[in-house]
Amino acid sequence: MPIPFPGRLVITSVPSLMSDISGVGRDRARGGYSRFVLTPAELELREWFGGEAARRSLDVEVDRNGVLWAWHSAGSSTGAVVTGSHLDSVPGGGAFDGPLGIATAFCAYDRLLNEGALGDRPFAIAAFPEEEGARFGVACLGSRLMTGAIDPDRARGLTDADGVSYAEALAGAGIDPRHIGPDPDRLKSLSAFVELHVEQGRGLIDLGQPVAVGDAILGHGRWRITVRGQGNHAGTTLMDDRRDPMVAAAAIVVAVRDLARQQPDARATVGRIQPVPGGTNVIASRVEVWLDVRHPSDEVTASLVARIAASASSLAASEGCTASVTEESLSPTVHFDASLRSSLCAALPGAPVLGTGAGHDAGVLGSHVPTGMLFVRNPTGISHAPEEHVEDDDADAGADALARCLAPLLRVAG
C-alpha cells in the first residue's frame, strides 16, 4: 500500500510497483517471464519506467546506447550518483531479476525526497538494455557499449534467433544504431553506481539477513562450440555410416560437467543447444552449443575453457565431426570499489558482505566508475527460473537500505 506523508510525495512500496508489472511478459510455455530486449514485453517495461519517472517529475533520457535514465537535477552539474539495474530477462526467468532493482530505485528516491536527503549531486535511475544477453547473445550489452568493451560494429551485427540484427531492433525502437558506442563523457560525469539485485543464491538465507553488501563478481564468459558433421536422412542412413554432430555434442556436454568438477570453485554450464536444421527425421549437419564458464581466477577460467575446447575437438573427431570454439563475451573477476563498499557497509552496520557468481552491469561499469551492489534475500535460493522470489518485507527493506546508502553519496563534501 502507498504510504502517505503530508506535504510530501506518496511513497510507494516495492511490492506495489512490482505488482504493476506482474502481467508483463509472462511465458505460458516455459513458466516465469520472457522479457527480451526491445521486444513488446521489454518495451512495455520501458514505458512503465517512463511513467514512474514522470510521476516523480524526473527527466527521462534515452542515451545513444538505449540506456534509460531518469534524472533529478541538483546544485552540482557533475559527480552524479546513479542506481538502477535492467528490465530484460532470461527465457522463462523469475519476476525479480532486474526489475527489482528498478522498482527499488524509484522507492528509494521516494524516501530520499521525503527525508530531504537528495543532497547536492545529480541523481539518476538507470535501466541498461540486454543485460542478460538472452536475445542477442552478449550479456551486459548496453554497459559494454558505453564503456567500449565491445566494438559497435560487432554489436550492430549481432542477430537474434529470427535473424533480426541488433541494429534493426534498435531502429525499430526509435534508437539510431549509427550512434551506439563508447560514451566517455557520460562515464566521467558519474561519481558512483550502486545496483540493487535479488540474491541469486543462498547466502542471505543461511545468514538470516534481508540485505547484503556486494564484494566481488566471479570472472565469467560465454563461448559458442560449433560441431559440424554430415546432415542426412534419419531413416536411410545406417548407424555406422553417420557423422552425427548431435552425438558429439551430447558427449561434449557431459565432458563440460566432468572437467568443471575437476576444478575447485569452477562452474561450467551448457544451457542452450541448437541443431541445424532441427528436423525430427533429419540427422543434423551442425549443432551450436553455448557454454558458460565461471571461476574467481581468470587464469583458471582460461585454462578450463582450453581443456574443454581440446576435449570437444577430440570427442567430435571420434564421431567423424569437427568442433570449433568461439568466444562471445568475457568479463574478468571484479572486486567492487573498496571506498564505496566501505561507505555502503557504514550505512548498513551489521549487513553481511557477499560475493556473487552472477554477472551484472555494475561489474562492467566498475573499470570506469566506482561501483557497488546490494543483494536482497531470495528465500528459494533459486534464480533464472520461475521459483525466484522476494518476500514483501525484504523488498521494502531493500529500498530502505538503498536510500540509506545513497544519502551520504549525494552530499558534496565540504
Side-chain angles (χ1 to χ4, degrees):
M1 293 291 292
I3 306 170
F5 287 80
R8 301 283 191 176
L9 178 73
V10 172
I11 295 185
T12 306
S13 70
V14 178
S16 175
L17 283 189
M18 293 297 294
S19 177
D20 290 343
I21 59 173
S22 62
V24 180
R26 283 193 177 273
D27 192 320
R28 306 288 179 193
R30 299 182 180 96
Y33 294 86
S34 293
R35 298 160 164 170
F36 306 138
V37 69
L38 303 177
T39 62
E42 200 253 5
L43 290 171
E44 186 173 345
L45 292 184
R46 290 169 74 90
E47 288 293 324
W48 165 80
F49 179 100
E52 289 301 322
R55 193 170 78 81
R56 293 164 172 81
S57 299
L58 299 174
D59 296 324
V60 177
E61 173 196 6
V62 182
D63 73 11
R64 71 179 68 170
N65 292 307
V67 182
L68 284 172
W69 303 84
W71 286 99
H72 169 84
S73 59
S76 173
S77 60
T78 59
V81 175
V82 182
T83 187
S85 192
H86 62 97
L87 297 168
D88 62 304
S89 79
V90 298
F96 297 89
D97 184 352
L100 178 70
I102 302 296
T104 303
F106 281 119
C107 291
Y109 172 83
D110 295 347
R111 287 155 171 77
L112 291 166
L113 180 64
N114 178 71
E115 295 164 7
L118 282 166
D120 305 307
R121 296 186 185 276
F123 171 74
I125 298 167
F128 289 86
E130 186 67 331
E131 193 269 357
E132 298 291 4
R135 183 176 179 189
F136 291 100
V138 176
C140 300
L141 185 54
S143 54
R144 287 180 189 275
L145 283 165
M146 177 186 288
T147 58
I150 185 172
D151 181 81
D153 285 335
R154 182 191 169 203
R156 280 185 281 265
L158 294 170
T159 56
D160 67 10
D162 296 320
V164 177
S165 72
Y166 193 53
E168 291 170 331
L170 287 168
I175 302 167
D176 192 335
R178 296 174 298 176
H179 298 156
I180 64 173
D183 195 349
D185 290 340
R186 175 59 55 91
L187 291 168
K188 289 177 184 176
S189 74
L190 309 182
S191 66
F193 176 69
V194 180
E195 181 173 2
L196 179 143
H197 204 277
V198 60
E199 191 194 5
Q200 297 173 288
R202 296 190 53 86
L204 285 167
I205 301 173
D206 296 339
L207 293 170
Q209 296 279 349
V211 179
V213 174
D215 178 46
I217 296 176
L218 287 184
H220 61 282
R222 297 182 185 185
W223 291 262
R224 183 188 300 207
I225 305 174
T226 301
V227 187
R228 299 182 184 275
Q230 177 59 61
N232 215 327
H233 194 292
T236 62
T237 309
L238 299 178
M239 299 305 290
D240 289 343
D241 293 339
R242 299 184 178 204
R243 294 168 48 212
D244 188 343
M246 185 64 87
V247 174
I252 291 168
V253 172
V254 176
V256 166
R257 180 201 62 184
D258 293 345
L259 288 168
R261 280 179 167 173
Q262 295 169 16
Q263 180 62 60
D265 299 322
R267 297 96 190 260
T269 306
V270 172
R272 180 182 170 199
I273 298 176
Q274 182 177 325
V276 178
T280 304
N281 59 346
V282 178
I283 299 168
S285 59
R286 183 177 86 249
V287 178
E288 305 285 1
V289 178
W290 280 267
L291 170 69
D292 181 299
V293 178
R294 307 178 189 228
H295 191 275
S297 166
D298 300 332
E299 292 77 12
V300 172
T301 298
S303 174
L304 178 55
V305 172
R307 294 200 301 276
I308 290 171
S311 178
S313 293
S314 176
L315 291 168
S318 70
E319 295 293 334
C321 300
T322 63
S324 60
V325 179
T326 303
E327 178 187 303
E328 293 201 330
S329 65
L330 181 62
S331 298
T333 293
V334 174
H335 296 277
F336 292 121
D337 183 85
S339 177
L340 179 55
R341 184 176 63 247
S342 295
S343 176
L344 303 183
C345 290
L348 303 174
V353 178
L354 297 176
T356 179
H360 301 281
D361 290 304
V364 176
L365 294 171
S367 58
H368 298 264
V369 178
T371 61
M373 290 195 72
L374 300 179
F375 299 116
V376 175
R377 178 167 50 194
N378 174 354
T380 68
I382 295 171
S383 188
H384 281 189
E387 293 83 1
E388 177 184 272
H389 186 63
V390 173
E391 296 290 346
D392 289 355
D393 288 347
D394 286 352
D396 280 327
D400 291 338
L402 181 60
R404 291 200 300 274
C405 289
L406 293 173
L409 302 176
L410 287 163
R411 293 192 293 268
V412 176

